[in-house]
Amino acid sequence: MYSFEGKFRTTPNVSLGGKSKEDKLNKERLLQKAQKERQKREEIRRRLQSALVLQSCVRSYLVRQRLKNDLRIQFDQERHRVSNKIGNINELVATCRWLKFFYEPSIDHDRLTWLGQLLLRNKEDWLKNDDSSLFQTAGVLKLCCRCLSSIDSTTTIAIPMRVLETFTSNDLVGSSRKLENRETEICLLKLWNALVRNGYFSCIQHLLTIRVPSDIPSEGDSPIHPPTHLAGTLLNLLTRPIIVAGQTSDSQPSQDTMDYSDPITERQAVILRTFISEVLCKHPTSQMYHYVFPAFAVIDDFPTFKILETVRTMLPDLDLKSPGLLPALVKFVHPKLESVPERTFSGYLYCLQCLLTHLPRIRCHDDEENDYDSSDSDQELDADSAENRMETSTNKFQGDVIPLADLVSDCHSALTSRQFTDACVGRRIHEQSGTESLDSICAICHHLIVVTKVSVQKNRLLYTLAFSSSFLRKLWQSTVSLTSTSKVTGKSIPVVQLLFEGSQISESKSIAIRSKLVVFCSLFCHNLLSVHDTDFYNITQGSSRHMAFTVAELVSIALTIRDVCLALIKQALPETRSRFGNFNAKNVLHALSFGQTIRPEKFSGSKDVEIGLSEINDTVFLFTVCRRLVKQLHTRDSRRSFIPNRHWLSNLIYVKNDQSNDFAQRWYRRSGANSTVAAHLANTSDEDIILSVTEARQLAVLMNIPFVIPFDTRVSIFTTMLHKDRESRETHRDRIMEEAGFGHSSMTNEVTVRREFIYEDAFNDLSEENAPDLRKRLRVTFVNSAGLDEAGYGAGVTREFLQQVVKTGFDPTRGFFKTTAQGRLYPNPHASAITPNANSHFHFLGRMLGKVLYEGMQVELPFASFFLCKILQRKNTDVDINHLQSLDPDFYRNLMYLHDYDGDVSDLALNFTVVDETLGVTKVNELMPDGINTPLTNSNKVLYMHLMANFKLNIQMRSPCQRFRRGLESVVTVDWLQMFDHVEFQTLVSGAEVPIDIEDLKRYTTYSGGYSADHPTVESFWEALKELTNNQLSLFLLFVTSCSRPPLLGFKELQPPFCIQRGGSEDRLPTASTCLNLLKLPEYHDSETLKSKLIYCLQSGTGFELS
């Protein structure tokens, strides 16, 4: 084109590279292109190579097929040529080689049958040949196994079976070849090795599955006769290689010292190992489980012991989750336990320990031991058994396989059988040197306790070991002596100490210490239940026949288990819970307090959560059994002390005295939305305030093992919670209006009583129908004999009213309560015969006692210890025979005499009945069904003792005690009362029998009417009080407060405070108003006169009035 510069066309741009700049390839694109080309060429080469390989395979296959067909033609020609008698042995060897090469089960069955028949007719001539005939025999036997493995239930198997049966006979091989025993063993081992390596055991199992009927009865004893002739033959064939491998000549080393470099020993090991992996480890069919395995136990030459030793050596290589090994061992080993050598039995125990760990868990339907994990999943099998279920469904032998649940149940039954128990306990296997046998027995017991959830008394093994003193002692010594090597210092440190300190413990040591603690606590708990107090406390003189430990050892056990409980609380409620996912302190506290598992469906399914869930649930279970044991020992100690004073206290988890008020306020605030702490914890939807770890730990201690915290601290917590509860029910304005006499009926319970009928009127006005909430303030009006209302109102009148009602209601002359020989109160079991509505009165008296405690008062009501224990029980009100002594010591002594009686108790002519007399009416009560016709004998005298004690302690008083407890807990939360044992609860009700601190009383005393602390009469009064004896001081407290014992936390808790008021001229006697804790002291000018008149009033019991 033209341009304005004078150039009529543009100059073309020429690229010397031959292309334009836009199309020029850069270096990177060039490399990519070269790489793609190389890959393409490589792909072409691979295709060519693959084509060559395929062509080679096809050509090889076609050539082999043509060769096989040619050999078949030659074989058939030889078959027609050869007669029934072997002519040239070499030609027959060649014929065997041909058949091994071209044999196919589907088309060559007839040819194998012909060859088998020929060999059977000429078996001796065939075996006389050199070693090549033995080698060819092994080949033919392999073909027979292939043939038998592929047939169905209709194909004839006579000839292949006959060949196997004939040419594996010990006698035939030895006699035909004229060999010595040693050489015969070698030949047979070579032969059997060749067979077992090529599926011999699978072949026999296949025949058992399809040719033996599956409906074999599953009796406990092994069937002597096989169900069919074929079954007997197959059993014989199955056991032949095992018997050969188990036979050891004199020159052969034993299994314990096997040298696997020896060819003979190696061949034996191969047979035994193959048998274990291909027969015992498979999921058994009905034929194997009900016929073959039991038959092993009755075959004399069957090498049971060598199999056990081989299993022991194979454990590291075996799949321990295989469902068949443990049931198979149990089937044929347990009938021979009496003859098993001790060393072999120890190895068997170790095998059981390892296999039980991986045994699938099934739901237990008869779990009645405790509430821990009582409601299992609806699925019958645990998630861990999914792999086993898959193996079961893909079992090679498609027969009637035994359900996995039945296998597990049979294993558990075998572990509780008499044979196994006698082998473990009768041989005293746990007393052998070393701890291997003890550890194995402990692991088996741990499995039975944790997995099966069976109670000790229902399991023969556990029950027997629980009463084996030597086993319990050995187990405890093993528990406390278990050590772990420190990575820092290299020293051995007891694992229990590491547990106390919260240090890291290896997984193996943690499993060992936990299993031992679970077993020891469970067994020793059951042991203690059967030991009566007379036997338990006789160990102080060393004369007890039933206790496994001395007093010093019991003290050590109690304190060790106490610290274990505290350490487990720390473990379950760690300060850092990163791996525990969504587990909050409230969930864990609920599990610890009620022995229940934390369910996995509440949380996400991450692996860390699953691991944390398993760890917490294991810790909860261990804590449950440890808590049960330590509480049993503490209960014994509370009945009669054998542990030094204050030894129960611990500082691992504690609440200081100066922290008790703050803790009580937090506890009350968190449980205020529910009637009890238990309800608060159970209410998972309650999202008020999340518990901190420290609070949860303290609550766990107070709800489970409160006795490790000082009594004074617990009393302070209890009184503070009561104070907070009272404050929460009324405002400050309500209290002022109530004190001024203008209280509204919705804020108070109105009571009008006549002094002559104070109990009857109180029962009517304060019944549950008229006063459902007794925690409200009482507004009491007394009516005198003239029918006029008496003057006075407020807390003083309420105190006087409660004291009089309680004193009258619990009076034995009223008939609701009786006294023991020691003057202790307990419910009258025949009260309903005196008063038709006696249960309502017991409910009312429980409410009255609760009201007394709720108002912070103390009343002198000496209750029987068994009655207080029934009130403080967590689940029900039943107690055991050891509490009978507090009810009737003579009756208890007579029962113990019966227990220790060495003669024939049938001479006493007693039966299982008890005569009960009520208001002159005699009634015979049967202690058990048909008890009147059941005579007392030496075999049932222990049952008689416990049934008699149960009747006296529980059956007769069950209804009164339950109604009394319901009334009590309607006012005071029972969870709070369960911080105390029965001795401490009696102290809470009546005060402590401690010296009266006059200085403490003086410090919290007020004065009125013109008196002051420095008044001469007051100073003389305090000096006179210091000169009184302890008994006189108790009378003085009774004189002014109606209770002879000081308040538990000192006189600062006395409400209203003790007050000294001027009481007129000195010619008068001192008087008191107990409802106001008021002493009206005349103004005496002489200290001797003051003292004499004060003592006169105390000893005469006068001076009580209402002001």
Side-chain angles (χ1 to χ4, degrees), residues 852-1051:
V852 168
L853 293 173
Y854 188 78
E855 296 296 337
M857 297 171 54
Q858 292 179 351
V859 290
E860 292 196 42
L861 294 174
F863 291 110
S865 61
F866 81 90
F867 173 59
L868 296 179
C869 289
K870 291 168 78 68
I871 293 176
L872 297 175
Q873 290 281 2
R874 173 167 287 190
K875 293 183 180 179
N876 53 50
T877 60
D878 290 351
V879 292
D880 58 34
I881 189 174
N882 294 305
H883 292 85
L884 185 61
Q885 191 171 12
S886 64
L887 173 62
D888 192 340
D890 294 334
F891 190 76
Y892 177 77
R893 193 179 305 111
N894 292 336
L895 286 182
M896 292 301 104
Y897 172 78
L898 182 66
H899 177 265
D900 298 329
Y901 184 63
D902 295 330
D904 189 0
V905 297
S906 60
D907 297 338
L908 303 177
L910 297 175
N911 56 17
F912 280 71
T913 60
V914 58
V915 179
D916 187 22
E917 184 177 353
T918 305
L919 300 179
V921 179
T922 302
K923 181 182 179 182
V924 177
N925 298 283
E926 291 187 322
L927 299 177
M928 59 184 295
D930 198 29
I932 195 170
N933 297 320
T934 306
L936 177 64
T937 62
N938 287 337
S939 61
N940 61 17
K941 65 180 182 180
V942 175
L943 176 62
Y944 174 83
M945 292 168 49
H946 286 272
L947 290 178
M948 183 65 75
N950 181 61
F951 179 81
K952 293 286 186 181
L953 290 170
N954 301 320
I955 295 178
Q956 278 192 317
M957 286 180 275
R958 180 167 291 132
S959 181
C961 291
Q962 289 178 348
R963 294 302 298 271
F964 185 91
R965 172 175 166 154
R966 290 173 190 168
L968 176 64
E969 65 184 357
S970 67
V971 182
V972 180
T973 303
V974 175
D975 287 348
W976 298 350
L977 295 179
Q978 287 172 347
M979 290 191 296
F980 310 99
D981 59 36
H982 69 274
V983 177
E984 295 168 338
F985 184 69
Q986 180 66 67
T987 304
L988 200 66
V989 173
S990 303
E993 296 182 359
V994 296
I996 298 173
D997 188 351
I998 297 177
E999 293 298 327
D1000 185 57
L1001 175 62
K1002 182 179 179 180
R1003 189 178 304 113
Y1004 296 103
T1005 298
T1006 60
Y1007 305 93
S1008 64
Y1011 278 158
S1012 62
D1014 55 356
H1015 192 278
T1017 301
V1018 174
E1019 291 179 349
S1020 299
F1021 166 76
W1022 291 117
E1023 292 298 327
L1025 212 59
K1026 292 179 182 179
E1027 297 176 2
L1028 299 181
T1029 64
N1030 289 333
N1031 186 37
Q1032 290 173 334
L1033 287 175
S1034 298
L1035 292 175
F1036 170 74
L1037 278 185
L1038 181 66
F1039 180 76
V1040 296
T1041 66
S1042 74
C1043 183
S1044 62
R1045 298 172 185 174
L1048 296 177
L1049 300 179
F1051 287 99

Side-chain angles (χ1 to χ4, degrees), residues 280-295:
L280 300 185
C281 289
K282 299 300 181 183
H283 195 121
T285 60
S286 178
Q287 296 88 340
M288 296 294 295
Y289 192 67
H290 293 312
Y291 167 58
V292 176
F293 293 159

Side-chain angles (χ1 to χ4, degrees), residues 375-386:
S375 56
D376 288 344
S377 173
D378 292 334
Q379 297 182 357
E380 186 179 37
L381 298 178
D382 192 80
D384 296 337
S385 63

Side-chain angles (χ1 to χ4, degrees), residues 104-121:
E104 292 292 339
S106 58
I107 59 178
D108 297 316
H109 179 74
D110 293 339
R111 297 181 178 92
L112 178 63
T113 301
W114 171 83
L115 182 60
Q117 290 173 338
L118 184 62
L119 294 177
L120 288 173
R121 295 190 190 101

Side-chain angles (χ1 to χ4, degrees), residues 503-540:
S503 303
Q504 186 176 3
I505 307 174
S506 64
E507 183 179 0
S508 61
K509 296 294 183 180
S510 177
I511 294 174
I513 191 65
R514 285 171 177 267
S515 64
K516 291 183 177 183
L517 285 172
V518 166
V519 174
F520 176 79
C521 292
S522 299
L523 298 187
F524 194 40
C525 272
H526 189 74
N527 180 283
L528 287 177
L529 289 175
S530 63
V531 178
H532 304 120
D533 282 352
T534 54
D535 293 322
F536 184 89
Y537 294 113
N538 277 342
I539 57 177
T540 56

Side-chain angles (χ1 to χ4, degrees), residues 427-460:
R427 296 185 180 194
R428 309 177 76 86
I429 192 73
H430 56 273
E431 296 183 3
Q432 297 178 1
S433 58
T435 61
E436 181 178 344
S437 298
L438 179 69
D439 293 343
S440 298
I441 295 177
C442 180
I444 294 170
C445 294
H446 179 264
H447 177 86
L448 294 174
I449 293 170
V450 175
V451 176
T452 66
K453 300 292 191 305
V454 64
S455 56
V456 175
Q457 66 269 18
K458 292 185 177 181
N459 186 290
R460 187 189 302 274

